[in-house]
Amino acid sequence: MCPLLQSMSAGMVLADETQTAKAKESDMRYIGIQHRRKKTAAGEARPTRVCIVTEVDNVTEYDLEDEMSELDFLHGIFPVEFRSVQETDDISALKPSHIKWRKLKKDESPEEIPENLRRMDGKVCMVVDKVASTYDGLKSGDVAGMVLGGSGDRFAYALSRRGEDVGASVYRLPSFALKNMREALSQDKDDDAALLAKLVAGKQEDFYIVNRRERALIQLNQAYRDRMDAMKARMGCEQRIHQNLVGQIFCSEEGQYPQGTIEVLYQQAKANDKILQGYIAEEDMRNKSLVKILNQLSIYEDLFQPIDGVGPAIAARLIVAIRDIRRFATDAKLKAYLGVHVMNGGKYGERPTNKQFVRRRAGEVANWQDDGRQALYLLVDQFNRHPDSVWGKKLREVKARLREKHPEVVEVEGKKRYTDGHIHKMGLWRTATKFTRWLWQEWTRLETKPEYVQQVKQARLDREQAERDVAKQKRQAKKQQAQQPEIADNQTAQ
C-alpha cells in the first residue's frame, strides 16, 4: 500500500477508534441540517449548515459550501481535517475535493516537485499543499432533522435513500413549527441547524419521516421542473425558427414573394429542423416520466384522478406548488399561499370591497404562489367545461347564488360590475377557494388518519370495479347488437 493510503488508513482507524469510544457513551447522533442556497443574488456565500449533537452534548458544526461537499457528507467522506502532503504520496486515489492546491512559490522550481503532486492551470503551476486525513458524514444510527419543503428537497431525498443503506433516518419539520419554536426560544434564524438537532433529539414526534412515499413527491417535483424546462426549450426553439424564417423572407436581396404563406413555410421549417425534433422528443420523454411518477402517488389516485377534467398536467402542477400539505397549519394558510383568499381584515386592515380580490396591484407585494394559482384557474376552467360533474355543479350553484345576490348590473367608479362575465369570473374564483379548502381537508386526513386512508382506498377499489362493470355491460350490449342482424337473417332464411 502506498504511504498516502497507509496514512489515510491510519487516520481513519484513529477516527474510528475515537468514534467507537464515543459510541460507548452515546450510540446516537442527532444532526440538524439547515439547507441554503450556496450564494445569494448579491454573491454572498450561504453554505448549508450542519450541526451534530450527541446524547452527551458533544456538538460539532460543519459548513457544506457546495454540492460536492453535500455529496461527500452524504457518503460519509466529508473531509474535516487535512495534513501536509508527502513526496511519496499518491493522490490519484483521492477525490478532487479532498486535495488542497497552492500556487508554486517564487523560490520553488517545478522540477523539484514530483510530477504526481503538481499540475498546470493554464500558465500557472499548481502544487498539492494538503490532503484529507479525517472524514465525517452520515453514519449508522444517525437521526437527521431538516425543514419540510424549500431548497433542501433533493438533499433530503439523497439522505433518506442513503440512510436505508447505512441504517440512518431523516425527519423533516414543517417551517411554521420551526418558526414558532425559534420565536419561543428567542433564537436567531442563522442558528436553525443547532435548533433542528435539539428538536429532532427531544421532540421527534413533531417531525415527519422521509420515506419512499416522501421521496416520490420530491421526484415528482424534479420531474415537473424537467418537463417545464423541456417545454420552454422547445418553445424557444420554435420562436427562433419563426424569427429566422421571417428574417430570410424580408431581408432577401431577391425580394420575391414566397411560395405559400409564412405559416405554411413555418410549419415546413419546423418539420425539417433536427434540433427542434430533438426538443420535441425530450419533452415527450419528460411528460411520460412525469405521468409515470404521478401514477405512483396515492394523492393523485385518491384525490385528483376521480375529478372530471383533472389530468396529469394540472394535478402535477398543483401538487408541486403545494409540495406537502403538512406545511400548512390551516386551510386559510393554504388559501393565502395559492392566492385564493380575501384581502380584508387582519394584516390587510379594512379594505374597500373592490380591492379585496387577490390580483397584482401597483405598490403591493404579490406574495402568493403564481404557479399554484394558475393551476387552480386551469382547474376551475375545467369545472366550467364539465358542467354535469360534481365540481361543475358546485360552480353553477355558486354562480346562481352570486346572480341572486347581485341581480342588477351596477356602475362603480366608471366600471360596470356584476355583468354576466363578472359573475362568471367571481364564480370561478369562489369555486377555486372552495376547492382549496376541500383539498386541504382531504389531503390532511390522508396524511394523519390511517383509517381514512383505508376508506379512500376501498372507495377507489369500488369505483374501479364499477367502471369495469359498466365497461363489461357496454361490451355485452355491443355484442348483442352485432348478433341481432344474424338472428334476423336466419329467421328470414327459415
Side-chain angles (χ1 to χ4, degrees), residues 279-390:
Y279 281 131
I280 292 174
E282 182 191 6
E283 185 179 4
D284 184 58
M285 179 187 67
R286 300 300 184 190
N287 279 327
K288 290 179 180 178
S289 176
L290 179 68
V291 173
K292 182 179 179 181
I293 296 172
L294 197 60
N295 286 329
Q296 297 173 358
L297 294 176
S298 60
I299 298 168
Y300 176 66
E301 288 188 343
D302 298 334
L303 298 185
F304 290 94
Q305 205 170 38
I307 301 174
D308 291 336
V310 180
I314 293 178
R317 194 171 186 175
L318 195 53
I319 293 173
V320 168
I322 296 172
R323 294 192 180 185
D324 197 309
I325 202 66
R326 295 169 299 190
R327 296 167 58 208
F328 306 95
T330 63
D331 63 309
K333 296 285 188 182
L334 180 61
K335 286 188 285 188
Y337 178 76
L338 295 177
V340 289
H341 58 302
V342 177
M343 297 194 297
N344 188 41
K347 66 179 182 180
Y348 297 107
E350 294 297 325
R351 293 171 66 98
T353 305
N354 62 340
K355 290 189 178 182
Q356 293 179 9
F357 176 73
V358 176
R359 67 175 179 82
R360 295 185 181 276
R361 293 182 176 88
E364 295 184 2
V365 177
N367 59 349
W368 52 84
Q369 220 280 350
D370 267 340
D371 216 32
R373 193 167 191 260
Q374 291 172 8
L376 276 178
Y377 184 80
L378 294 173
L379 180 62
V380 293
D381 181 61
Q382 288 298 316
F383 296 161
N384 182 55
R385 296 171 186 269
H386 296 78
D388 294 328
S389 65
V390 174

Side-chain angles (χ1 to χ4, degrees), residues 63 87 113 135 262 377 411 457:
D63 282 347
E87 290 186 0
I113 309 297
Y135 303 85
I262 292 179
Y377 184 80
E411 191 168 324
K457 286 184 178 179

Side-chain angles (χ1 to χ4, degrees), residues 84-366:
S84 298
V85 68
Q86 300 175 7
E87 290 186 0
T88 55
D89 286 341
D90 178 13
I91 65 171
S92 61
L94 293 177
K95 306 290 184 185
S97 57
H98 299 174
I99 305 171
K100 290 187 176 182
W101 298 80
R102 63 172 176 82
K103 292 182 180 180
L104 184 71
K105 297 179 181 178
K106 292 182 178 180
D107 58 349
E108 291 178 329
S109 173
E111 289 75 16
E112 297 175 355
I113 309 297
E115 188 176 352
N116 65 314
L117 299 181
R118 57 183 168 87
R119 63 178 173 83
M120 295 301 296
D121 187 4
K123 296 182 178 181
V124 180
C125 182
M126 303 297 293
V127 180
V128 176
D129 186 27
K130 294 183 178 181
V131 293
S133 59
T134 307
Y135 303 85
D136 201 351
L138 194 67
K139 300 176 182 177
S140 177
D142 285 351
V143 178
M146 301 178 68
V147 174
L148 191 63
S151 62
D153 277 350
R154 286 179 287 192
F155 195 32
Y157 182 104
L159 287 168
S160 172
R161 177 62 191 86
R162 178 67 177 171
E164 290 183 353
D165 294 336
V166 301
S169 53
V170 182
Y171 293 82
R172 303 184 81 182
L173 181 69
S175 55
F176 68 85
L178 178 62
K179 180 183 177 183
N180 293 339
M181 189 60 65
R182 186 195 304 131
E183 292 175 351
L185 298 175
S186 301
Q187 292 199 357
D188 190 81
K189 189 175 181 179
D190 289 338
D191 298 326
D192 277 355
L195 179 57
L196 283 166
K198 293 178 181 178
L199 291 177
V200 79
K203 300 189 68 177
Q204 203 171 106
E205 65 276 6
D206 294 339
F207 286 72
Y208 300 99
I209 191 168
V210 182
N211 50 27
R212 293 192 177 188
R213 178 186 170 281
E214 306 301 319
R215 296 205 299 268
L217 282 171
I218 297 173
Q219 268 190 325
L220 178 66
N221 186 21
Q222 183 64 44
Y224 178 76
R225 291 176 183 274
D226 293 342
R227 182 243 185 193
M228 293 301 294
D229 289 342
M231 183 181 71
K232 291 176 181 177
R234 187 259 304 163
M235 293 171 63
C237 185
E238 289 178 339
Q239 290 173 356
R240 289 192 297 273
I241 292 172
H242 186 271
Q243 292 301 316
N244 180 264
L245 175 64
V246 172
Q248 289 178 358
I249 293 173
F250 282 85
C251 300
S252 172
E253 288 294 334
E254 289 78 11
Q256 296 181 356
Y257 196 89
Q259 295 181 353
T261 64
I262 292 179
E263 181 61 28
V264 171
L265 294 175
Y266 171 53
Q267 295 299 330
Q268 293 175 354
K270 287 200 302 181
N272 295 324
D273 191 280
K274 293 183 179 180
I275 296 177
L276 176 61
Q277 297 309 312
Y279 281 131
I280 292 174
E282 182 191 6
E283 185 179 4
D284 184 58
M285 179 187 67
R286 300 300 184 190
N287 279 327
K288 290 179 180 178
S289 176
L290 179 68
V291 173
K292 182 179 179 181
I293 296 172
L294 197 60
N295 286 329
Q296 297 173 358
L297 294 176
S298 60
I299 298 168
Y300 176 66
E301 288 188 343
D302 298 334
L303 298 185
F304 290 94
Q305 205 170 38
I307 301 174
D308 291 336
V310 180
I314 293 178
R317 194 171 186 175
L318 195 53
I319 293 173
V320 168
I322 296 172
R323 294 192 180 185
D324 197 309
I325 202 66
R326 295 169 299 190
R327 296 167 58 208
F328 306 95
T330 63
D331 63 309
K333 296 285 188 182
L334 180 61
K335 286 188 285 188
Y337 178 76
L338 295 177
V340 289
H341 58 302
V342 177
M343 297 194 297
N344 188 41
K347 66 179 182 180
Y348 297 107
E350 294 297 325
R351 293 171 66 98
T353 305
N354 62 340
K355 290 189 178 182
Q356 293 179 9
F357 176 73
V358 176
R359 67 175 179 82
R360 295 185 181 276
R361 293 182 176 88
E364 295 184 2
V365 177

